[in-house]
Amino acid sequence: GKVRAPTHIISTISDDRGEEPCYAGVPMSSIVEQGYGVGDVISLLWFKRSLPRYCTQFIEICIMLCADHGPCVSGAHNTIVTARAGKDLVSSLVSGLLTIGPRFGGAIDDAARYFKDAYDRGLSPYEFVESMKKKGIRVPGIGHRIKRGDNRDQRVELLQKFARTHFPSVKYMEYAVQVETYTLSKANNLVLNVDGAIGSLFLDLLAGSGMFSKQEIDEIVEIGYLNGLFVLARSIGLIGHTFDQKRLKQPLYRHPWEDVLYTK
Ligand code: ACO
Ligand code: LMR
């Protein structure tokens, strides 16, 4: 009989062997002719299915809202310094991307994990926050360097407004808001940040869309797909900062002595 040689790679998201490439079985001609957007392409390549319009719109809003937050944040700063050192686009981009992590932009997956676990176990916001404190873990998705209780992050409010209008349920988001109410009672900087808003709202998207089984939701949360949204989004801004520095012909960056405390 026929013997199938063992393969070295298994791939399930795309296929380039036919006349036109397919994303999760959908041919490129359909993607173009049916007016798919980047949210649809993310749905196909990350989640291996077409999602309802409100979900793909939500994904696109996340991408637009997180594309940039000025030159002073960790990622943009690294990219600017790298571009000014004369490095190429890819080096400048990845230099910025490498700052994305638990403190900056990369708290979305952990926010989803902790909010989901706490909500599903029925913990009150007080029990959740205090149990995190006992473990010495900062609540992912809470806190910001410049946003405050009296100067909320407009991005968070825009995401919440969209979800309240279009999502069938926003139970995880409401839980995150209750957590924020409690943390704000402790300190004015402990707002729900954009990572926390996306993390909690994506749980609502996954659970409320009817497109994912419970097991699939657990897998998405465990693997950690959601920081990918910030990485993808912020790449847009970091590429922009690289071009900006090159266009401005900025010289090599050197940090001023006056801004360093030299001490023994
Ligand atoms: N949970 C519990 N307590 C917190 C949290 C939190 N998430 N964030 C800050 N605090 C507490 C600190 O323990 C500190 O208290 P202490 O002085 O008694 O130790 C106090 O608030 C002030 O902390 P700072 O370190 O001054 O806060 P900072 O402004 O440096 O931190 C940061 C901002 C890094 C965002 C922090 O709030 C944090 O780690 N949050 C969790 C991670 C997160 O969500 N990051 C994403 C931010 S949004 C983005 O990057 C797009
Ligand atoms: C961002 O989007 O980069 C931020 O929320 C972080 C910041 O400090 O502004």
Side-chain angles (χ1 to χ4, degrees):
K2 284 184 186 166
V3 177
R4 176 81 166 89
T7 58
H8 295 94
I9 288 179
I10 304 173
S11 172
T12 69
I13 61 166
S14 58
D15 193 339
D16 59 320
R17 292 169 301 173
E19 285 200 348
E20 53 178 329
C22 290
Y23 292 167
V26 180
M28 193 51 63
S29 53
S30 302
I31 291 173
V32 173
E33 283 158 16
Q34 290 176 27
Y36 280 34
V38 75
D40 296 288
V41 170
I42 291 170
S43 303
L44 293 173
L45 290 176
W46 295 12
F47 299 103
K48 295 176 46 173
R49 71 204 71 190
S50 285
L51 292 174
R53 180 69 190 124
Y54 79 88
C55 297
T56 59
Q57 219 182 331
F58 177 75
I59 291 173
E60 286 170 8
I61 292 171
C62 291
I63 303 288
M64 291 189 288
L65 286 176
C66 293
D68 197 42
H69 208 226
C72 302
V73 304
S74 304
H77 184 84
N78 258 24
T79 287
I80 289 169
V81 170
T82 308
R84 288 181 57 168
K87 303 285 301 234
D88 59 289
L89 172 63
V90 176
S91 305
S92 304
L93 169 63
V94 298
S95 161
L97 288 179
L98 287 171
T99 64
I100 297 176
R103 294 182 182 169
F104 168 65
I108 310 180
D109 284 312
D110 272 344
R113 287 184 189 116
Y114 280 106
F115 285 141
K116 182 172 189 309
D117 178 69
Y119 177 87
D120 292 354
R121 287 198 292 130
L123 295 187
S124 69
Y126 167 83
E127 289 168 328
F128 169 51
V129 173
E130 294 305 323
S131 72
M132 294 292 276
K133 193 173 176 188
K134 268 197 205 117
K135 286 184 257 180
I137 304 172
R138 287 185 175 195
V139 181
I142 294 287
H144 201 274
R145 292 305 295 261
I146 59 169
K147 297 298 170 188
R148 294 284 175 271
D150 49 4
N151 170 30
R152 290 292 175 76
D153 192 331
Q154 286 298 307
R155 298 171 296 177
V156 170
E157 301 199 344
L158 288 166
L159 287 168
Q160 291 175 333
K161 191 170 167 205
F162 179 86
R164 284 202 173 98
T165 312
H166 295 96
F167 284 24
S169 155
V170 286
K171 62 181 186 180
Y172 288 108
M173 182 200 91
E174 296 295 7
Y175 184 70
V177 169
Q178 287 171 27
V179 169
E180 179 193 44
T181 304
Y182 178 64
T183 54
L184 277 177
S185 74
K186 292 163 79 89
N188 201 25
N189 65 321
L190 297 184
V191 290
L192 182 66
N193 60 43
V194 75
D195 282 13
I198 295 175
S200 56
L201 279 168
F202 226 93
L203 292 173
D204 286 320
L205 183 154
L206 294 168
S209 64
M211 302 292 293
F212 299 89
S213 68
K214 196 183 160 307
Q215 199 186 346
E216 285 175 322
I217 296 173
D218 287 343
E219 189 183 50
I220 288 166
V221 171
E222 190 194 320
I223 290 176
Y225 287 29
L226 306 179
N227 287 344
L229 289 168
F230 193 90
V231 171
L232 179 65
R234 195 50 61 94
S235 295
I236 300 171
L238 298 178
I239 291 171
H241 283 292
T242 307
F243 296 156
D244 196 34
Q245 296 307 305
K246 303 275 183 203
R247 194 167 46 227
L248 293 166
K249 297 191 179 13
Q250 288 297 284
L252 179 66
Y253 180 81
R254 197 175 199 282
H255 203 74
W257 279 326
E258 309 79 73
D259 193 38
V260 176
L261 172 64
Y262 291 91
T263 181
K264 288 202 193 335

